[in-house]
Amino acid sequence: FDQLDTATAVEFLRQKSKELDPDKKGVNFALNPIPGDAPVHRKISLQLDNVPLSDLVIDIAEQANLHYSVEGNTVIFKP
C-alpha cells in the first residue's frame, strides 16, 4: 500500500481475512464506529509480504494515529 486511505486498507483486511479463513468467516473490522463522529480518512503506506494479521493491525493503527481494540471477532479502529 502506498498512501492508501485507512477505509480502503480496512476493507482489504476484511476481504483478505475471509479469503484466508478455512470457514470463510474472516474477521470483522470497524473504522470509527461511533455514531455522529466524522469518518477517519488518513493515509498509510505498508509493505506486505507474508505479514501476520496482528502485525498489520498494529501497523495501520500506528501509521494512522489510531487506537484499536478487539471485541469478540471484531477489530475496532478509532481516534
Side-chain angles (χ1 to χ4, degrees):
F1 299 137
D2 186 27
Q3 295 299 303
L4 190 67
D5 185 85
T6 50
T8 304
V10 168
E11 181 58 29
F12 170 82
L13 291 178
R14 184 180 297 117
Q15 291 174 359
K16 202 63 166 172
S17 72
K18 285 182 183 178
E19 177 185 316
L20 297 174
D21 183 355
D23 295 328
K24 301 300 181 201
K25 293 181 181 179
V27 177
N28 296 315
F29 292 89
L31 182 59
N32 199 30
I34 302 168
D37 277 2
V40 176
H41 293 286
R42 299 177 183 166
K43 303 292 182 187
I44 60 170
S45 296
L46 299 170
Q47 295 291 332
L48 304 177
D49 187 23
N50 200 22
V51 178
L53 182 61
S54 58
D55 290 353
L56 277 175
V57 167
I58 292 167
D59 288 345
I60 289 171
E62 287 177 353
Q63 282 198 38
N65 196 25
L66 297 170
H67 299 282
Y68 75 92
S69 60
V70 178
E71 297 180 19
N73 191 35
T74 304
V75 177
I76 300 171
F77 293 97
K78 52 191 163 193

